[in-house]
Amino acid sequence: MPASPSTARAINDRLALRLLQEQGPLTAGQLKTLTGLSRPTVADLVERLQDSGLVRVVGESGAERRGPNARLYGIVADRAHLAALDVRTTSLSVVVTDLVGGTLAEASLPMEEHSDGPALGRAVALLERTVAEAGVRRLHSVGIGAPGLIDPATGELRDSTGLPAWHRRLVAVLHERLPATVLVENETNLAAVAEQREGAARDRDTFVLLWLGHGVGAAVLLDGRLRRGASGGAGEIGFLPVPGTGGLPSATGCDGGFHALAGSSAIRALAAGYGIEAGDARREEAAGAVAVRRALEAGADDFLDALAGRVALGAAAVSAVLDPGCVVLGGEIGHAGGAGLAARVEARLAALSPLRTQVRATALGGAAVLRGALLTVRDAAQDELFAPETPPPPPPAPRRWPAP
């Protein structure tokens, strides 16, 4: 069935807004070319979007040609303000932006791992201070990336063994204190979103991001969509039983799983066996990454091959079940290993699985989680603000009573 006039207008408006979001300010002529719509239709939609406060004139174009300059239309960036948080076990990073993602202020802070009360207060204070520095009076939406499981039914961070309690309390406090939408997502999933939109997997709709940091995890994107699983646990690869750990994982701990081979402390121990010092043991999360960087600088091929063999075990399991065609090595260790470690893992994986799988290094490194949180919250805010107004329902028809 053909679309009604109101539906067609809504579709055209969303198309124009998406183009303005992706390509920046455009003239009416450029919108006509990109959308394929007629000149009068484009003129009407530009007027509608201006009247709704979503689009305004931001400049002129046409200095390179004769005749009057054409007006450039852009999204009203200050229509809404957003915040993104990267919540780690030992640190917190915050960025405040406008509706199109322009950074207004950012900050980070180390956090004490086992001081839940003070840590919560410092986290809230950091967000409030950063918002004030950005000159923002009210946040529209806040996106949070955190380790742990997200309940798919409630969208809340679930109680996970080993994670600070202030993580979960932070979400509840922000819900109470901010007149804003608060979205929470697993950090590995957000890193994958960023890599797919702006990083190592820009050409892929299907891939798996293998997170290698203090812990290990995976994010699954199939046909351009994140797959979270029935309980939000898709990608909890740290619990994967693998050879070489001397035990098995349990429902309460992954010490006998893939985590025991590829987590930061395990890599630090492996490096020590090859005579490679991993640096300050107090920085546990970075120890494995330091070891990998030093091994690459020293040309410690034996250690790097051993590490690649370990990582390939997890990648082989992912490949056998999902056949993603591409695995991105993320997290601090994936970033430290770069293309060199990725190439070694790909070679070992090719010997373990008949399914051809590319292995790539993260292109965004430690910024991936915060960037993914910002992209996710920006999309959600724009979807809400750009949604066409729903016309009020028609009044009920008068009730006709049968004649007596």
Side-chain angles (χ1 to χ4, degrees), residues 214-393:
H214 175 65
V216 297
V220 180
L221 270 88
L222 301 179
D223 299 323
R225 293 182 57 192
L226 272 172
R227 306 293 178 171
R228 297 175 177 85
S231 62
E236 287 295 316
I237 199 171
F239 289 88
L240 180 72
V242 290
T245 63
L248 291 172
S250 69
T252 58
C254 55
D255 293 340
F258 183 56
H259 170 83
L261 287 185
S264 181
S265 60
I267 293 174
R268 181 180 64 178
L270 177 66
Y274 287 88
I276 301 169
E277 294 297 327
D280 190 351
R282 291 175 298 176
R283 299 289 296 172
E284 177 72 16
E285 192 168 6
V290 171
V292 171
R293 278 194 293 270
R294 292 184 176 179
L296 287 167
E297 292 169 358
D301 291 339
D302 290 345
F303 163 72
L304 293 170
D305 285 341
L307 174 59
R310 290 186 173 195
V311 175
L313 289 176
V318 167
S319 178
V321 174
L322 298 174
D323 189 18
C326 178
V327 171
V328 175
L329 303 184
E332 297 87 354
I333 293 159
H335 181 51
L341 178 61
R344 292 172 187 265
V345 173
E346 182 172 326
R348 293 299 297 268
L349 180 56
L352 292 173
S353 171
L355 305 176
R356 180 168 176 77
T357 306
Q358 293 182 349
V359 180
R360 304 175 182 178
T362 170
L364 301 176
V369 175
L370 192 61
R371 189 61 188 165
L374 177 58
L375 289 169
T376 300
V377 75
R378 189 186 73 183
D379 288 350
Q382 290 183 350
D383 282 345
E384 178 183 333
L385 293 171
F386 295 171
E389 293 186 4
T390 303

Side-chain angles (χ1 to χ4, degrees), residues 30-99:
Q30 289 170 326
L31 283 170
K32 174 182 177 297
T33 300
L34 292 169
T35 61
L37 299 173
S38 68
R39 188 177 300 276
T41 300
V42 169
D44 287 344
L45 76 83
V46 168
E47 183 177 358
R48 279 196 306 275
L49 295 176
Q50 284 183 291
D51 291 343
S52 67
L54 294 173
V55 166
R56 65 184 170 202
V57 178
V58 297
E60 293 185 341
S61 176
E64 72 284 353
R65 62 177 176 80
R66 295 180 179 179
N69 293 344
R71 293 178 176 179
L72 278 170
Y73 298 96
I75 292 174
V76 179
D78 58 2
R79 172 70 182 270
H81 295 99
L82 318 170
L85 287 76
D86 179 2
V87 181
R88 306 290 180 95
T89 55
T90 57
S91 68
L92 175 69
S93 298
V94 180
V95 61
V96 177
T97 77
D98 57 30
L99 183 59

